[in-house]
């Protein structure tokens, strides 16, 4: 007998409705994300606008709801005007964030054309690093104003007569980070973000505006930054951003497997700070979290090091991390954490979509394939429907350096009352062995098991490649069975599973 993981799922344990925006992603002008990622006019699959249709197909299959653009660190030195208008008049410029040359072949209008084809909602990040209120208004008017003023007429002349209708706007990117072009103190940022937001709301009061939170929960100013920024910007913004990247460091596998504990802590802390400001200012409105960068990222590896010296390449190979089976399990657990915080996480963006720390990989002129992380994302996006349900969990634990003691199992469920679909997402994040799963579903009448899939590999470090793209894929878990409202089965060590049930007609 293996140690037992016991879950209790009940329709009364409601957290919030599943939000489609939880399944956002991110396209930055970084490495090969844009050029030879989404856009490659010479590729055999390219459409009339130069977009790779093989990547478009996988983006739709991934189930991406929204896409943040154009950065990231890139945006803090970006001039949006460089990327619109006749191609032959667009300047090439140095991108200081990634020490690359930006050819500006793709800009706002091209991205919006791509977003339409990919069937995703855009989220546009503005430059508050080297620029300010004036640029914020200009790019907003160019994108969203109906024809009849200079900037919207310019957009129409550039081929987009209809307003783009972008609702979500990020007020800069990671402005607390000393690596950011135009990095600011909390006070400096609070000022410019508030003034940009106030002006943008004069143009359109219904926008959804996102202030920069701390770049990660390890920043020395984490908490204090959110407090200062929200104290000034509270009435003008809707969300505050959170960013987090995880990786196995110095062979500490156990802490890596427990990464979702940090995401839980991070979200809870940002929410606590936002609610502290709410109480202080005596406001009714609640600030939500935009978790607009999250992923596994091996930042110390050579592929994350930007070029240097006189080398300013166009679309270099950068951040092309290759994800293992274990990475996909941790990744699936991060999705569980995001879902269970659906009451306060209003939007999230997987960073990034193609080639750059991405679920989709391409060869220039060649193949496209799915990384291991593609699978938990697409299955969660497709099957998380209705209401998010908190899951009561009795679990063995394991020790790790970073968090002390963590539960071996972690889970969340979603319940669609209308269709009768119940889905349980569960991980065994303990490397020491399998768990005997028992799920009490007696609070639901007449369920039948539809499908149980488990992502696991005997070698947790094995990955998918262009030559062997299906090395790690979710497989049918034949041990899972449903008897008298109780699910039982086995979850292998270091595994992520999705268990789908549905109400029978009876
Ligand atoms: O996603 C890669 C980089 O990570 C982004 O450009 C930046 O915002 C973050 O530090």
């Amino acid at each position: 007998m293996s140690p037992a993981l016991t879950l209790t799922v009940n329709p009364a344990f409601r957290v919030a409705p599943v939000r489609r925006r939880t399944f956002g992603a991110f396209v930055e002008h970084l490495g090969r994300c844009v050029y030879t990622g989404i856009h490659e006019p010479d590729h055999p699959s390219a459409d009339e606008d130069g977009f790779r249709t093989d990547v478009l197909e996988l983006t739709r299959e991934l189930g991406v709801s929204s896409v943040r653009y154009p950065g990231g660190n890139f945006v803090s030195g970006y001039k949006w005007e460089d990327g619109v208008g006749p191609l032959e008049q667009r300047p090439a410029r140095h991108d200081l964030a990634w020490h690359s040359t930006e050819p500006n072949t793709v800009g706002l209008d091209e991205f919006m054309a791509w977003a339409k084809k990919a069937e995703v909602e855009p989220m546009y990040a503005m430059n508050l690093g080297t620029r300010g209120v004036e640029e914020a208004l200009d790019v907003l008017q160019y994108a969203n104003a109906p024809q009849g003023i200079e900037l919207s007429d310019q957009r129409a002349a550039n081929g987009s007569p209809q307003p783009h209708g972008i609702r979500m706007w990020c007020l800069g990117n990671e402005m607390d980070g000393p690596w950011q072009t135009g990095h600011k103190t909390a006070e400096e940022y609070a000022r410019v973000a508030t003034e940009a937001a106030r002006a943008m709301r004069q143009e359109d009061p219904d926008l959804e505006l996102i202030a920069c939170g701390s770049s990660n929960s390890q920043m020395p100013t984490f908490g204090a930054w959110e407090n200062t920024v929200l104290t000034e910007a509270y009435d003008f913004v809707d969300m505050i951003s959170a960013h987090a990247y995880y990786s196995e460091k110095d062979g500490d596998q156990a802490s890596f497997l427990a990464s979702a504990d940090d995401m839980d802590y991070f979200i809870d802390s940002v929410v606590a700070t936002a609610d502290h400001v709410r109480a202080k200012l005596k406001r009714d409105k609640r600030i939500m979290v935009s978790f607009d960068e999250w992923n596994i990222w091996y930042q110390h590896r050579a592929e994350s090091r930007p070029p240097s010296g006189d080398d300013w390449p166009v679309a270099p190979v950068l951040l092309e991390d290759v994800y293992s089976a274990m990475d996909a399990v941790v990744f699936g657990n991060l999705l569980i954490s995001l879902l269970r915080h659906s009451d306060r996480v209003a939007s999230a963006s997987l960073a990034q979509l193609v080639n750059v720390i991405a679920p989709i990989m391409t060869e220039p002129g060649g193949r496209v394939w799915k990384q291991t992380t593609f699978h938990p994302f697409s299955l969660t996006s497709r099957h998380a429907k209705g209401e998010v349900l908190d899951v009561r969990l009795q679990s063995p634990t394991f020790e790790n350096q970073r968090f002390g003691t963590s539960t071996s199992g972690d889970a969340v469920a979603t319940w669609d009352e209308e269709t009768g679909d119940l889905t349980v997402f569960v991980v065994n994040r303990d490397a020491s062995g399998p768990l005997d799963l028992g799920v009490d579903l007696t609070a639901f009448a007449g369920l039948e098991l539809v499908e149980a899939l488990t992502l696991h590999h005997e070698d947790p470090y094995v990955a998918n490649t262009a030559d062997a793209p299906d090395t790690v894929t979710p497989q049918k878990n034949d041990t899972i069975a449903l008897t008298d409202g109780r699910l039982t089965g086995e979850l292998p060590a270091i595994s992520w599973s999705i268990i789908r049930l549905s109400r029978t007609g009876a």
Side-chain angles (χ1 to χ4, degrees), residues 19-27 63-68 121-123 168 170 210 239-244 263 267 288-295 334-339 341-342 344-352 377:
R19 297 172 191 269
R20 288 310 306 153
R21 282 178 175 172
T22 303
F23 304 103
F26 179 27
V27 166
V64 175
S65 54
S66 50
V67 173
R68 183 168 179 250
E121 179 188 5
M123 172 192 245
M168 284 193 288
C170 301
I210 301 140
M239 296 182 239
I240 181 116
S241 73
H243 293 178
M263 189 180 251
I267 297 170
M288 306 298 269
V289 177
S290 169
F291 216 116
D292 47 45
E293 288 189 31
W294 69 271
N295 204 347
L334 297 175
L335 278 166
I336 289 173
S337 171
L338 287 171
L339 269 178
H341 288 97
S342 295
R344 296 305 293 269
V345 176
S347 173
S349 305
L350 164 64
Q352 300 194 1
F377 192 101

Side-chain angles (χ1 to χ4, degrees), residues 26 28 30 68 72-74 98 173-174 179-180 243 245 293 297 319 351-352 357:
F26 179 27
E28 177 168 4
L30 192 183
R68 183 168 179 250
N73 295 342
F74 168 80
W98 302 106
N173 176 71
E174 293 188 354
W179 57 86
Q180 206 67 219
H243 293 178
Y245 294 100
E293 288 189 31
W297 178 11
L319 284 65
Q352 300 194 1
I357 43 173

Side-chain angles (χ1 to χ4, degrees), residues 135-145 169 200 203-204 207:
E135 186 249 0
L137 277 179
D138 285 353
V139 67
L140 173 62
Q141 291 181 353
Y142 180 89
N144 281 5
W169 294 79
M200 290 175 80
E203 174 74 24
D204 178 353
L207 299 173

Side-chain angles (χ1 to χ4, degrees), residues 60 73 89 215 273 291 336 443 445:
R60 287 187 292 259
N73 295 342
Q89 290 170 21
S215 302
T273 308
F291 216 116
I336 289 173

Side-chain angles (χ1 to χ4, degrees), residues 14-48:
R14 183 184 172 278
V15 175
V18 175
R19 297 172 191 269
R20 288 310 306 153
R21 282 178 175 172
T22 303
F23 304 103
F26 179 27
V27 166
E28 177 168 4
H29 285 252
L30 192 183
R32 298 194 309 112
C33 188
V34 172
Y35 306 112
T36 72
I38 65 168
H39 191 257
E40 190 178 352
D42 297 336
H43 191 271
S45 83
D47 66 10
E48 66 288 357

